[in-house]
């Protein structure tokens, strides 16, 4: 465990679907700037943890906190406002909207102009629209997507769609980023690019990351701490070396291969 | 405001004004001779439909949800405004026509918008088929209510509504309504609604309050359905609840789909064509619903996104294309 105070914290978190405990007794504490890995076999409950931590599912047991504030019962958009953002295992972009608009959506919270301003195209309308436009383009630039700003998001190649999803999550101004298998389906070049992006956002934005990933070499390389989930429960947690040498983990997960 | 944008707005405004004078030239001279009032009637009904269809397109096209009871909202605007203007007249308050007309529009719009909020908050928790059923049920309830309320005629025709909707007024209100809806969809509100249509889970994960923007759009849509209803009531001057049946809602939906879900231009053209066409082909009147169905099937097969898809007409854009200066088509904002 790191000594820094926890940004995101869960205590005994769990959810049940009609008697099936998809996740139970899940504890986590992510410090400022930490990169924690969440691994486990298929169906272990990793994505379910993300759904719990973003208010998509309401926990049937336990609690979770963001900067000490309890998050149970909050709808997704309010969880996002408090600083937790995510990407999805099967990319979810606004496919028929432009790359730029995908990012601008996440900036919507920063925009305050009302209906009347929109209808009469007042000064505040143009000011805010232009500001957000600029901010969104700046973010896109960081991910080398700015030339594609006017392309339909659905027309981007796979690797760039993943990057755009991360860009959009960053635009929500979050403190903790939950990445659900960002490298899935990527070729080695794309994976390398992704790694670069992750390092870049950690340096630039000082955020914490919780990463679900099946690519073990990637996980071992970049995570400071790893939590192993099996049948909805934490099997082990520790540094990459500890996890790699843990006999339980080897039999349950690594040994399977 | 960016300068180029300002010029574009002015050119579009000029287009609207030119069209207005064109209508005045046609209707206020002896150009049409004996068919003048007949043609004028068709044009007025077409404009009233345009407002209805654009408002329905906000829900069906931009938000991607079904509303099969939009005529219900129209009837609320029609009856509420008629009740108010009739009460004013009966009370012996003499107001200029224009003022009375504006009162009717505002009352019709606001009351209907309030109903939109009331219906929208519970109904918009539902999606797809369920929402469609709730909107049908809503329109039926409204219809039955208007059949039974004494103040709305108590099952008989409510007649004696002042005739206020002259084509000048209707034209101006229609132009303003379409313009306001256009500004709405080309703002952060429209952007959020489109995102919600594309993927509401991703939208909420991007910090968008999905219910809020849905209810807001539903309310804006209801407001303009009410405006349309108010204009209708004060043109037709007598109302009967059965007019606002499911069939009427379905007609508007056909116009939306023909024009293009997600294009207000399409709605304007769809409404104008489909409301004027049956009038023009009077002898086919009996086959109107049949023609509509055939049109729908053909559109669905050959161009599911409707005639205009998501294209928006803009006069400067077209001028640029014509003069070959720049590729046309409307741009955001
Ligand atoms: N909404 C739901 N209703 C019922 N069961 C669910 C629901 N969501 C998840 N589950 C179940 O919870 C278990 C964990 O699923 P989850 O998607 O979290 O696994 P995962 O660890 O992300 O797996 P993968 O590596 O394949 O993505 C599965 O058995 C799944 O069927
Ligand atoms: Mg998963």
């Amino acid at each position: 465990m790191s000594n820094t105070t926890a940004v995101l914290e869960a205590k005994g978190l769990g959810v049940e679907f009609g008697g099936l405990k998809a996740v139970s007794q899940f504890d986590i504490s992510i410090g400022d700037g930490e990169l924690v890995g969440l691994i486990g076999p298929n169906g272990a409950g990793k994505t379910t943890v993300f759904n719990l931590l973003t208010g998509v599912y309401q926990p049937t047991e336990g609690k979770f906190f963001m900067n000490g504030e309890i998050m149970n019962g909050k709808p997704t958009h309010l969880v996002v406002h408090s600083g937790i953002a995510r990407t999805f295992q099967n990319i979810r972009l606004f496919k028929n909207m432009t790359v730029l608009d995908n990012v601008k959506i996440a900036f919507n919270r920063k925009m305050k102009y009302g209906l009347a301003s929109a209808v009469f195209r007042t000064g505040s309308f143009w000011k805010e629209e232009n500001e957000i436009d600029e901010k969104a383009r700046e973010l896109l630039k960081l991910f080398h997507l700015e030339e594609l700003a006017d392309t339909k998001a659905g027309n981007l190649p796979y690797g760039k769609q993943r990057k755009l999803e991360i860009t959009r999550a960053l635009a929500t101004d979050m403190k903790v980023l939950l990445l659900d298998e960002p490298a899935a389906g990527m070729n080695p070049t794309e994976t390398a690019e992704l790694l670069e992006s992750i390092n870049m956002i950690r340096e630039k934005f000082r955020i914490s990351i919780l990463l679900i990933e099946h690519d073990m070499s990637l996980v071992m390389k970049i995570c400071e701490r790893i939590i192993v989930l099996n049948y909805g429960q934490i099997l082990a947690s520790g540094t990459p070396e500890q996890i790699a040498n843990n006999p339980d983990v080897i039999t349950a997960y690594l040994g399977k291969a | 405001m960016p300068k180029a944008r300002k010029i574009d707005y002015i050119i579009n405004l000029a287009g609207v004004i030119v069209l207005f004078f064109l209508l005045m030239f046609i209707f206020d001279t002896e150009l049409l001779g004996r068919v003048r009032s007949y043609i004028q009637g068709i044009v007025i009904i077409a404009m009233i439909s345009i407002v209805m269809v654009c408002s329905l397109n906000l829900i069906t096209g931009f938000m991607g949800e079904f509303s099969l009871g939009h005529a219900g909202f129209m009837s609320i605007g029609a009856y509420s405004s008629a009740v108010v203007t009739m009460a004013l007249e009966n009370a012996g308050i003499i107001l200029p026509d224009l003022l009375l007309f504006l009162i009717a529009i505002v009352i019709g719009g606001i009351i209907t918008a309030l109903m939109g909020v009331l219906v929208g908050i519970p109904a918009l928790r539902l999606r797809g088929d369920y929402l469609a059923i709730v909107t049908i049920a809503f329109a039926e309830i409204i219809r039955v209510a208007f059949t039974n309320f004494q103040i709305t005629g108590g099952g008989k025709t409510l007649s004696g509504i002042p005739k206020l909707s002259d084509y000048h007024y209707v034209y101006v209100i229609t132009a303003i309504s379409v313009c306001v809806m256009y500004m709405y969809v080309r703002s952060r509100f429209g952007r959020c609604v489109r995102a919600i249509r594309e993927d509401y889970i991703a939208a909420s994960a991007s910090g968008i309050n999905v219910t809020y923007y849905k209810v807001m759009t539903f309310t804006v849509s209801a407001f303009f359905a009410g405006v349309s209803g108010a204009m209708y009531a004060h043109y037709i001057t007598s109302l009967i609840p059965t007019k606002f049946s499911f069939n009427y809602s379905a007609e508007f939906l056909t116009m939306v789909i023909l024009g293009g879900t997600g294009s207000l231009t399409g709605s304007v053209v769809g409404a104008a064509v489909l409301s004027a066409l049956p009038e023009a082909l009077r002898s086919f009147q009996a086959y109107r619903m049949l023609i509509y169905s055939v049109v729908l099937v053909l559109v669905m097969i050959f161009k599911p996104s409707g005639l205009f898809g998501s294209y928006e007409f803009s006069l400067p854009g077209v001028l640029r294309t014509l003069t070959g200066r720049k590729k046309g088509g409307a741009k955001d904002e």
Side-chain angles (χ1 to χ4, degrees):
Chain A
M1 288 278 156
S2 67
N3 304 324
T4 47
T5 50
V7 181
L8 174 64
E9 198 173 15
K11 287 181 182 155
L13 206 61
V15 64
E16 226 174 86
F17 298 113
L20 171 89
K21 281 196 168 178
V23 171
S24 66
Q25 291 301 315
F26 184 80
D27 294 319
I28 197 173
S29 167
I30 303 180
D32 204 7
E34 248 193 319
L35 201 172
V36 180
L38 181 60
I39 63 171
N42 289 110
K46 304 179 296 294
T47 300
T48 306
V49 167
F50 274 22
N51 284 331
L52 284 169
L53 293 177
T54 51
V56 175
Y57 297 153
Q58 287 306 323
T60 48
E61 60 178 64
K63 292 173 180 158
F64 71 110
F65 306 86
M66 183 67 193
N67 289 322
E69 189 195 346
I70 187 151
M71 291 285 119
N72 290 41
K74 285 205 180 187
T76 302
H77 68 273
L78 291 184
V79 173
V80 174
H81 292 185
S82 72
I84 305 175
R86 72 178 293 185
T87 63
F88 294 89
Q89 188 166 350
N90 340 303
I91 307 176
R92 283 179 177 270
L93 289 171
F94 310 118
K95 290 202 173 65
N96 291 309
M97 293 168 72
T98 63
V99 167
L100 184 67
D101 273 350
N102 267 267
V103 181
K104 282 173 92 176
I105 284 291
F107 276 119
N108 183 64
R109 183 156 67 100
K110 295 268 163 59
M111 305 178 93
K112 294 284 178 279
Y113 71 78
L115 270 183
S117 278
V119 167
F120 295 110
R121 293 295 195 248
T122 60
S124 66
F125 171 89
W126 291 109
K127 187 167 157 282
E128 288 184 17
E129 284 288 337
N130 291 337
E131 266 173 25
I132 295 308
D133 211 86
E134 215 160 281
K135 278 192 186 170
R137 282 177 199 279
E138 265 168 40
L139 262 188
L140 285 172
K141 198 178 261 173
L142 289 179
F143 291 87
H144 310 293
L145 290 170
E146 90 263 31
E147 263 113 64
L148 299 163
D150 297 322
T151 318
K152 261 192 194 179
N155 294 343
L156 292 183
Y158 187 80
K160 292 208 162 54
Q161 292 199 11
R162 286 268 180 218
K163 273 195 188 172
L164 177 57
E165 222 191 0
I166 296 175
T167 317
R168 186 180 67 190
L170 277 175
T172 64
D173 195 17
M174 80 323 184
K175 283 276 143 239
V176 180
L177 177 59
L178 313 181
L179 297 173
D180 199 343
E181 300 198 24
M186 283 189 170
N187 62 37
T189 342
E190 287 173 327
T191 309
E193 247 182 77
L194 175 77
L195 200 68
E196 202 181 294
S197 301
I198 290 178
N199 285 332
M200 184 270 294
I201 56 182
R202 288 188 73 196
E203 256 172 51
K204 250 202 148 65
F205 298 93
R206 302 177 188 289
I207 52 165
S208 319
I209 295 178
L210 180 59
L211 171 76
I212 297 178
E213 190 47 72
H214 277 300
D215 183 339
M216 288 313 292
S217 64
L218 182 74
V219 172
M220 292 292 169
K221 192 154 42 177
I222 64 174
C223 293
E224 288 150 6
R225 213 145 47 80
I226 294 173
I227 296 174
V228 187
L229 213 56
N230 198 20
Y231 297 113
Q233 284 184 312
I234 294 181
L235 183 71
S237 77
T239 62
E241 299 84 64
Q242 286 169 338
I243 295 300
N245 300 321
N246 185 316
D248 288 345
V249 176
I250 293 168
T251 45
Y253 184 62
L254 300 175
K256 230 176 41 159
Chain B
M1 192 188 305
K3 219 189 194 98
R5 199 66 87 198
K6 204 169 211 164
I7 294 170
D8 281 9
Y9 287 152
I10 291 170
I11 295 178
N12 277 327
L13 181 64
V16 170
I17 292 170
V18 167
L19 193 58
F20 186 59
F21 282 118
L22 199 66
L23 280 183
M24 276 176 51
F25 174 70
I26 293 172
F27 291 141
D28 293 349
T29 62
E30 289 307 308
L31 192 69
L32 291 175
R34 282 185 24 237
V35 293
R36 192 190 66 184
S37 72
Y38 171 63
I39 301 279
Q40 197 171 308
I42 294 177
V43 170
I44 289 176
I45 289 294
M47 291 192 290
I48 291 170
S49 305
I50 285 173
V51 176
M52 259 316 270
V53 174
C54 286
S55 98
L56 180 57
N57 203 353
L58 292 186
I59 297 177
T60 312
F62 293 92
M63 194 155 86
E65 294 287 1
F66 263 116
S67 169
L68 292 177
H70 225 52
F73 284 120
M74 188 184 187
S75 72
I76 294 173
Y79 275 101
S80 60
S81 63
V83 165
V84 169
T85 54
M86 285 171 79
L88 284 174
E89 288 220 321
N90 291 341
I93 302 169
I94 310 292
L95 294 171
D97 274 6
L98 176 60
L99 185 62
L100 203 55
F101 178 73
L102 289 179
I103 290 174
I105 296 293
V106 171
I107 295 279
I110 289 180
I111 302 238
T112 314
L114 288 177
M115 281 306 285
V117 181
L118 288 182
V119 178
I121 290 174
L124 291 169
R125 289 168 193 278
L126 303 171
R127 308 177 49 78
D129 308 349
Y130 299 102
L131 180 62
I133 290 166
V134 168
T135 54
I136 295 177
F138 162 74
E140 281 301 296
I141 292 168
I142 291 297
R143 191 173 62 75
V144 173
F146 284 151
T147 313
N148 287 293
F149 289 153
Q150 218 49 50
I151 195 170
T152 55
K156 292 196 288 289
T157 307
L158 179 71
S159 52
I161 305 167
K163 183 148 190 147
L164 304 168
S165 297
D166 115 300
Y167 83 89
H168 304 85
Y169 298 167
V170 174
Y171 180 84
V172 172
I173 294 294
T174 301
I176 292 175
S177 301
V178 174
C179 172
V180 168
M181 285 186 262
Y182 181 81
M183 295 304 187
Y184 180 80
V185 297
R186 297 296 173 113
S187 70
R188 72 187 180 94
F189 303 102
R191 190 159 54 229
C192 289
V193 165
R194 267 181 293 152
I196 291 167
R197 176 189 65 193
E198 295 269 315
D199 190 330
Y200 72 101
I201 292 175
S204 62
S206 306
I208 303 296
N209 184 344
V210 170
T211 315
Y212 176 83
Y213 287 100
K214 277 174 118 175
V215 171
M216 176 175 254
T217 306
F218 202 72
T219 306
V220 171
S221 171
F223 178 88
F224 286 107
V227 167
S228 173
M231 293 196 289
Y232 178 80
H234 294 84
Y235 171 68
I236 294 287
T237 70
S238 63
L239 294 172
I240 183 150
T242 44
K243 169 75 186 169
F244 304 96
S245 64
F246 174 74
N247 274 355
Y248 204 33
S249 295
E251 277 181 40
F252 292 124
L253 193 61
T254 312
M255 297 173 188
V256 169
I257 291 171
L258 173 72
T261 46
S263 160
L264 291 178
T265 310
S267 296
V268 172
V269 174
V273 169
L274 283 191
S275 63
L277 201 63
E279 285 291 334
L281 311 169
R282 252 283 144 81
S283 40
F284 290 105
Q285 199 53 301
Y287 303 106
R288 198 179 44 162
M289 288 315 279
L290 187 67
I291 294 174
Y292 280 5
S293 320
V294 171
V295 164
L296 259 192
V297 170
L298 290 179
V299 169
M300 282 306 175
I301 293 174
F302 294 108
K303 196 152 190 310
S305 60
L307 292 183
F308 286 83
S310 56
Y311 170 83
E312 294 291 5
F313 174 83
S314 126
L315 195 52
V318 170
L319 290 179
R320 273 195 285 271
T321 314
L322 286 180
T323 54
R325 273 202 294 146
K326 211 178 130 193
K327 280 269 173 278
K331 285 278 288 176
D332 253 60
E333 272 88 58

